[in-house]
């Protein structure tokens, strides 16, 4: 059936999910406190929230700093790298695990006992990506971008704490997937695979593309490896829409990272691939480096440069499944880094890994900044795990961080509200 979607519907869905009784009970007292700290001239930051982690609230979004402030525009300089010598309270932001800008909704995100654990397992000092949770196995699979030629994927068994880690290779091996997704409909992991190498160990030759893996047997199957004979530059991230099409972003980071032998042959783009027919169609070429991609339950967002963009998705055409995207709008500029992996929470909030910088920004579905999580390593991507999907893994360059809080991940079997990915 043809359907059309808009962010108005997404907003309604989010309101319905986040209005828990406990959250509403908190509202009265927090509104009063916010008012007490909303005056111009108050220190920029103050301790707030539960004591199970270091939580700092920022007064008026930090929009007025003493004039001696400065910050290096280099994207790898974190938000905490801003210098605010005129206000000693800035140190509270620098040492915080969680920073709240919208105090009321930020405290709802944290819940009563937020926790953050850093350095849970030792990992190589390379980019980690494509964290995928397979609920039947209670395992988290994470890929590595590098070292060149390496075919290992990390498999974390979450039945143990700390998790036990195994290095696995799929059959045939996949050379450095960088985006991944668990599809509850077929129990398979779908990977955006960036590596492009004609002489891999074991005589393996691979072009970048899309593949899927059975997580129980680790058997891999290629679905896509070219566009009418051109190499893809390096599929970076992917998602699956409500009619089963795979949308992926294609960027040339693989060449820069030394895991592709070929410079880009096509413009960097966002593509739609229909596994049932093999059709591949370009959807957007307007972003400089398209990266993370996610559907709201009824819309679409993806990232580029420092920004997050959103589109409306309508369904048209002879069978009512052809997507038409309109209404491109920028909805958020990251506080640091360059937005990388981006995922939508159960209540519609966006959780955005900051790529080059050590943090995650959390906004509502319209891009209004709510809170951030601060880590000790750049965060490339994120994944919820656990029975209640309230554990969030942040993976990136040289580190893994685990967060427990109240912002749940989306229902894996009912992502689009009608039967999952
Ligand atoms: C308001 O901010 C001040 C510092 O600016 C802080 O000491 C105080 O705890 C805050 N009030 C509340 C109720 O959070
Ligand atoms: C908060 O930060 C301080 C200073 O870094 C540290 O000593 C303390 O253990 C932290 N508290 C929590 C709950 O993590
Ligand atoms: C591949 O990476 C793993 C870490 O996940 C490392 O232990 C292993 O030695 C690497 N192998 C090669 C051949 O680089
Ligand atoms: C290709 O794989 C070989 C290992 O067989 C590795 O030494 C080389 O660096 C790789 N090159 C690229 C561009 O991935």
């Amino acid at each position: 059936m043809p359907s059309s979607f808009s962010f108005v519907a997404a907003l309604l869905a989010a309101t319905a999910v986040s209005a828990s009784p406990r959250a509403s009970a908190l509202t009265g007292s927090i509104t009063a406190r916010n008012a007490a700290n909303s005056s111009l001239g108050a220190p920029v930051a103050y301790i707030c929230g539960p004591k199970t982690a270091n939580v700092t609230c920022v007064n008026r979004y930090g929009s007025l700093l003493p004039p001696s402030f400065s910050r290096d525009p280099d994207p790898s300089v974190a938000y905490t790298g801003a210098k605010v010598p005129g206000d000693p309270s800035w140190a509270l932001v620098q040492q915080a695990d969680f920073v709240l800008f919208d105090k009321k909704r930020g405290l709802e995100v944290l819940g009563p006992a937020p926790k953050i654990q850093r350095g849970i397992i030792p990992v190589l000092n390379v980019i980690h990506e494509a964290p995928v949770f397979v609920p039947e196995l209670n395992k988290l699979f994470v890929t590595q971008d590098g070292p060149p030629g390496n075919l290992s994927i990390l498999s974390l068994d979450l039945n143990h704490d700390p998790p036990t880690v195994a290095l696995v290779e799929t059959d045939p091996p996949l050379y450095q997937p960088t985006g991944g997704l668990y599809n509850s409909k077929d129990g398979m992991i779908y990977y955006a695979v960036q590596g492009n190498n004609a002489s891999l160990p074991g005589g393996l030759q691979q072009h970048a593309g899309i593949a899927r893996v059975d997580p129980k047997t680790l058997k891999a199957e290629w679905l896509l490896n070219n566009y009418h004979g051109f190499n893809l530059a390096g599929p970076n991230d992917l998602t699956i829409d409500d009619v089963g099409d795979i949308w992926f972003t294609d960027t040339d980071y693989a060449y820069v990272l030394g895991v592709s032998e070929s410079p880009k042959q096509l413009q960097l783009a966002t593509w739609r691939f229909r596994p049932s027919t093999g059709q591949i169609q370009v959807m957007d070429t307007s972003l400089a480096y398209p990266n993370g991609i996610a559907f709201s339950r009824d819309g679409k967002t993806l990232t580029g440069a420092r920004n997050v963009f959103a589109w409306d998705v309508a369904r048209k055409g002879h069978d009512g499944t052809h997507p038409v995207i309109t209404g491109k709008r920028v909805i958020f500029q990251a506080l640091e880094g360059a937005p990388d992996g981006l995922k939508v929470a159960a209540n519609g909030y966006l959780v955005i890994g900051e790529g080059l910088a050590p943090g995650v920004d959390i906004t509502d579905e319209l891009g209004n900044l709510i809170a951030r999580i601060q880590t000790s390593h750049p965060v490339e991507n994120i994944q919820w795990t656990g029975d209640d999907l309230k554990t969030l893994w942040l993976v990136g360059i040289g580190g893994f961080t685990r967060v427990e809080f109240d912002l749940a991940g989306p229902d894996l079997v009912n992502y689009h509200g009608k039967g999952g990915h």
Side-chain angles (χ1 to χ4, degrees):
M1 194 188 70
S3 46
S4 76
F5 303 117
S6 78
F7 265 81
V8 177
L11 179 61
L12 295 174
T15 309
V17 176
S18 63
S20 69
R22 196 185 45 72
S24 333
L26 280 171
T27 311
S29 59
I30 290 166
T31 308
R33 282 205 250 156
N34 265 353
N37 270 323
S38 67
S39 59
L40 289 165
V44 64
Y46 57 97
I47 302 277
C48 63
K51 300 287 174 245
T52 48
N54 280 308
V55 184
T56 293
C57 282
V58 168
N59 185 20
R60 292 178 55 80
Y61 297 81
S63 52
L64 190 65
L65 298 173
S68 53
F69 79 87
S70 64
R71 183 170 170 192
D72 190 318
D74 178 341
S76 65
V77 174
Y79 176 59
T80 53
K83 297 188 173 67
V84 189
D87 187 341
S89 79
W90 182 248
L92 298 174
V93 171
Q94 293 174 314
Q95 74 185 44
D97 301 318
F98 300 97
V99 181
L100 308 187
F101 297 90
D102 178 329
K103 188 172 181 180
K104 172 181 175 297
R105 294 195 291 171
L107 288 173
E108 288 168 7
V109 162
L110 295 189
K115 287 192 197 79
I116 188 164
Q117 284 175 279
R118 298 181 165 85
I120 298 175
I121 57 163
V123 292
L124 293 187
N125 192 28
V126 296
I127 297 174
H128 293 86
E129 260 285 12
V132 175
F133 177 51
V134 179
E136 298 95 287
L137 304 176
N138 199 23
K139 280 187 179 168
L140 179 70
F141 292 90
V142 183
T143 65
Q144 301 177 179
D145 294 358
N150 198 302
L151 300 171
S152 298
I153 293 177
L154 304 175
S155 160
L156 279 65
D157 184 344
L158 304 178
N159 294 309
H160 305 273
D161 193 11
T164 48
V165 184
L167 291 180
V168 300
E169 274 182 25
T170 60
D171 171 25
L174 299 179
Y175 184 39
Q176 304 196 354
T178 188
L181 174 85
Y182 173 74
N183 184 353
S184 62
K185 276 199 173 158
D186 59 10
M188 305 282 267
I189 298 173
Y190 284 72
Y191 277 127
V193 190
Q194 65 173 346
N196 187 323
N197 191 325
S199 51
L200 287 163
L204 187 72
Q205 176 172 14
Q206 177 185 290
H207 293 272
I210 305 294
R212 70 179 165 208
V213 172
D214 180 335
K216 297 198 176 85
T217 63
L218 296 174
K219 283 267 180 215
E221 180 184 21
W222 281 92
L223 302 176
L224 171 74
N225 69 357
N226 75 95
Y227 181 71
H228 300 291
F230 293 116
N231 278 324
L232 295 165
N236 190 282
D237 220 335
L238 81 175
T239 188
I240 302 184
D241 72 10
D242 56 341
V243 303
D245 290 349
I246 297 171
W247 295 59
F248 66 93
T249 53
D250 192 40
T251 355
D252 60 350
Y253 293 126
Y255 189 64
V256 177
L257 291 169
V259 300
S260 169
E261 289 169 343
S262 141
K264 68 177 177 185
Q265 297 194 313
L266 299 168
Q267 79 287 299
L268 305 183
T270 300
W271 298 86
R272 174 178 71 96
F273 170 60
R274 178 159 287 186
S276 57
T277 65
Q279 185 198 354
I280 171 172
Q281 183 181 25
V282 65
M283 297 306 291
D284 181 81
T285 56
S286 72
L287 301 188
Y289 291 94
N291 200 311
I293 180 164
F295 278 93
S296 69
R297 295 196 161 183
D298 30 30
K300 174 170 185 277
T301 62
L302 52 82
T303 70
R306 276 195 165 184
N307 297 319
V308 175
F309 298 86
W311 283 256
D312 297 321
V313 185
R315 297 287 178 185
K316 304 209 165 151
H318 66 286
D319 60 0
T321 67
H322 180 92
V324 174
I325 60 172
T326 55
K328 179 188 176 193
R329 53 209 180 262
V330 64
I331 61 169
F332 183 64
Q333 173 146 332
L335 275 60
E336 60 187 15
D340 194 326
L342 148 155
K343 291 202 164 75
V344 176
N347 69 356
Y349 286 1
L350 306 183
V351 183
I352 304 156
E354 297 309 13
L356 299 168
V360 163
D361 291 337
I362 300 172
T363 75
D364 69 11
E365 57 280 13
L366 298 176
N368 294 296
L369 178 62
I370 295 172
R372 51 184 272 110
I373 307 170
Q374 303 195 136
T375 55
S376 50
H377 58 84
V379 178
E380 314 304 325
N381 219 324
I382 58 161
Q383 179 60 55
W384 283 276
T385 65
D387 291 340
D388 58 3
L389 296 172
K390 286 184 176 175
T391 301
L392 186 69
W393 289 79
L394 319 177
V395 306
I397 303 177
F400 285 24
T401 299
R402 184 170 64 187
V403 167
E404 285 161 77
F405 61 175
D406 258 16
L407 185 66
D411 181 351
L412 294 177
V413 297
N414 205 27
Y415 186 89
H416 294 287
K418 44 178 160 170
H421 281 298

